[in-house]
Amino acid sequence: KREREGGSRMPTVTSSKVIEAPVGILPDHPTDFAITMAVGAVLFKALEGRVMTVQLDLLVMFGIACGLVGYQIAVATTVVHVENNCPPNVAFSYKPKGKTKETGGRGVDEPEHPPKRRERPSLRGNRSNGSLDIQESRSKSLALLRSSMKSTKGVFDQLQGKEAVPKEETPIVPAKTFAKFPDGAALGAHLNCWSSPPSNNFMVRGPNYLKDKKKVPSGDYLLPSRGCDLFLTDLAPVNLGRNRSLLEGRLRDVPTFIINYRLPWGVFLSYHEIPERFIPFLRRGNGHGDLSKPLPSTSNMPPGDRALCDFFLSDSHEKDAVWKIVPVVAQGPWMVKKVVGGKPAILGKQMPVSYVYQPPENGLAEYLEADLDIVSSAAARKILAVVRSYTQVLTVDLGFVVQGNRTEELPEQMMLGLRLHGLDPLTAELLPEFDDGSSMLDMDEDTEHDSD
């Protein structure tokens, strides 16, 4: 009729599938609702003062049944779709199907059901698949945006015939590092210091250990210690050797083995120099250098050197099977000594360990980093729970050794050793920023992998 009169055509309404929408069992109309409430009030008034004994199990069963009934009861609702042929200035109203108390019926120009309203997608998204939180996602987005803008600017400059401006080197800001403990000073006299404990304080497998199970004092350390650091950070990233600020900016002056203890509130780092005789094996084990060149012979090497060469040549799984930590409390409360014990433990069986190798580049020496996920170890968490109250009065020796499982690898020799004097986390500094523009989130994603 409206088309004949020159009016706009009404939108076409098509029915779709029927869905169940739980809307409750109370009446919708105010009058019916008021009657229901009045009847309930009269019923409760009639039961006033009456006492009834009900067993607890029946009461619980009745409550569960009421909940299930209320959950299942629903009213079938029809979803309708409106075709996109309605002019912008044409609208129609909606009234429920059937007679109403005001009009007694429905107009012929009114649809039986309202059009389905399209909901806006949730901004929270589905986070059940292990996605990063909002802060991490925002940081990654900003990093990606900055990288994209730099690339776009470079292409635009080339199209305009402009020469690329050389990037200025970011000055290296040396980070504060732990001081070396003064020679001859009494234990406990200084905090936040390090030293190298006597290697013979550690007992290792003797030359005939496979037969007599006897241990002997170790010889000199294979990797001399260079120092240590403690930094506060919430993320405890991996591959911290990329940070040029560490060890007062001298980290990559010589080949270094880095141990990164990833704690719940920060990172503790120890640095140990890799002598030149081990470098060919370190590079070959990580696929660097001339692979066709034969390696030096290990037949004339001491057993400890031979075991360490095999360690550098092995993959991450083989490293995890033979790399041992030997913690010893040199000075501290009896309770802490009892918990720490001093017994060697295979690290790969106690916690996840990842290895990162960075070859030499631009005059910088190479490094191998071992990242220890302390938080994932139940035994390590137990020790930390006891030690954290006594860190300022503790003197702890941390030794590492490659386990000798064959006669030619015995006697064992300590790989490295570090003595930590009175650790005070309250005086620790924040982890310095990285000079190459990368963030800790980028490093966690890109560098947390095995060296093999």
Side-chain angles (χ1 to χ4, degrees):
K1 179 179 178 180
R2 293 190 176 183
E3 289 180 344
R4 292 195 303 267
E5 296 175 356
S8 300
R9 185 171 58 90
M10 290 297 294
T12 303
V13 179
T14 59
S15 296
S16 180
K17 62 181 181 179
V18 177
I19 61 173
E20 299 295 331
V23 295
I25 58 176
L26 292 177
D28 293 332
H29 198 274
T31 303
D32 296 339
F33 182 84
I35 294 175
T36 303
M37 296 299 296
V39 172
V42 172
L43 179 61
F44 277 105
K45 186 64 177 179
L47 296 177
E48 182 180 3
R50 298 180 180 272
V51 179
M52 179 184 301
T53 302
V54 180
Q55 296 182 0
L56 182 59
D57 54 349
L58 294 178
L59 184 61
V60 173
M61 185 181 299
F62 178 76
I64 295 176
C66 291
L68 293 176
V69 171
Y71 182 81
Q72 292 294 330
I73 294 178
V75 178
T77 304
T78 303
V79 178
V80 296
H81 299 276
V82 179
E83 295 182 355
N84 190 18
N85 56 3
C86 182
N89 58 350
V90 176
F92 58 86
S93 60
Y94 160 74
K95 293 183 180 180
K97 180 180 180 181
K99 294 183 178 182
T100 61
K101 298 196 178 290
E102 292 81 9
T103 63
R106 174 177 54 84
V108 295
D109 291 336
E110 297 168 353
E112 294 184 2
H113 297 280
K116 180 181 178 182
R117 182 180 180 182
R118 179 173 298 178
E119 298 293 337
R120 180 185 297 271
S122 174
L123 295 178
R124 297 180 179 272
N126 184 9
R127 301 175 60 90
S128 61
N129 58 352
S131 59
L132 297 174
D133 57 16
I134 297 177
Q135 182 180 0
E136 293 181 355
S137 178
R138 184 176 302 169
S139 300
K140 288 189 173 183
S141 299
L142 290 176
L144 182 61
L145 180 59
R146 288 195 296 266
S147 177
S148 177
M149 292 177 65
K150 292 179 180 178
S151 301
T152 304
K153 184 177 183 300
V155 174
F156 181 77
D157 290 342
Q158 292 180 2
L159 294 176
Q160 295 294 327
K162 298 180 180 179
E163 296 183 357
V165 179
K167 180 180 178 182
E168 297 181 359
E169 289 190 9
T170 304
I172 304 300
V173 180
K176 183 180 179 182
T177 188
F178 279 14
K180 192 170 183 179
F181 192 77
D183 295 335
L187 295 180
H190 300 272
L191 297 178
N192 295 334
C193 295
W194 71 275
S195 64
S196 295
S199 59
N200 55 16
N201 284 0
F202 296 97
M203 301 297 292
V204 297
R205 294 184 175 187
N208 299 317
Y209 180 84
L210 298 180
K211 297 179 179 179
D212 55 22
K213 303 298 180 182
K214 290 184 179 180
K215 293 189 175 183
V216 297
S218 173
D220 293 336
Y221 298 114
L222 298 174
L223 306 182
S225 296
R226 300 185 60 196
C228 61
D229 285 321
L230 178 67
F231 297 109
L232 302 179
T233 173
D234 294 332
L235 299 177
V238 299
N239 195 10
L240 288 177
R242 291 175 58 192
N243 194 321
R244 299 279 302 280
S245 301
L246 300 182
L247 202 61
E248 295 182 339
R250 299 177 288 104
L251 174 62
R252 302 190 66 178
D253 289 354
V254 296
T256 303
F257 181 59
I258 307 170
I259 303 179
N260 176 15
Y261 303 80
R262 305 175 67 194
L263 303 170
W265 40 265
V267 290
F268 175 72
L269 304 168
S270 64
Y271 316 102
H272 311 272
E273 182 179 353
I274 303 177
E276 186 64 30
R277 65 183 184 274
F278 298 115
I279 297 301
F281 302 91
L282 174 64
R283 294 177 178 176
R284 180 65 59 85
N286 294 275
H288 181 71
D290 187 2
L291 301 181
S292 62
K293 184 178 180 180
L295 290 172
S297 175
T298 60
S299 57
N300 297 326
M301 288 185 177
D305 287 25
R306 189 180 300 114
L308 186 55
C309 289
D310 292 340
F311 177 82
F312 285 143
L313 287 172
S314 59
D315 59 27
S316 60
H317 301 289
E318 294 170 337
K319 287 183 175 70
D320 290 344
V322 297
W323 198 35
K324 297 188 299 186
I325 183 173
V326 188
V328 177
V329 178
Q331 185 180 49
W334 173 85
M335 179 184 301
V336 179
K337 291 183 177 180
K338 186 68 175 178
V339 172
V340 175
K343 184 178 179 181
I346 299 291
L347 276 173
K349 296 181 180 179
Q350 303 296 328
M351 66 189 70
V353 182
S354 60
Y355 303 89
V356 179
Y357 171 76
Q358 184 66 31
E361 55 183 354
N362 301 326
L364 302 176
E366 60 218 294
Y367 66 84
L368 175 66
E369 179 175 328
D371 300 301
L372 313 183
D373 192 356
I374 305 295
V375 181
S376 300
S377 172
R381 291 198 304 269
K382 179 181 177 182
I383 294 176
L384 287 176
V386 176
V387 170
R388 64 183 180 182
S389 301
Y390 305 97
T391 55
Q392 298 185 24
V393 296
L394 282 180
T395 301
V396 182
D397 295 342
L398 298 174
F400 291 83
V401 61
V402 178
Q403 180 169 280
N405 295 322
R406 299 174 297 176
T407 303
E408 56 269 22
E409 297 174 343
L410 298 175
E412 293 177 342
Q413 187 173 351
M414 292 301 296
M415 177 183 183
L416 56 91
L418 181 76
R419 173 168 287 180
L420 188 59
H421 300 264
L423 180 65
D424 185 6
L426 297 180
T427 61
E429 297 185 352
L430 296 177
L431 182 66
E433 297 181 355
F434 296 88
D435 59 279
D436 59 357
S438 61
S439 66
M440 291 183 294
L441 289 176
D442 299 331
M443 294 172 60
D444 271 336
E445 179 183 7
D446 298 334
T447 63
E448 190 168 1
H449 55 79
D450 295 336
S451 62
D452 58 330

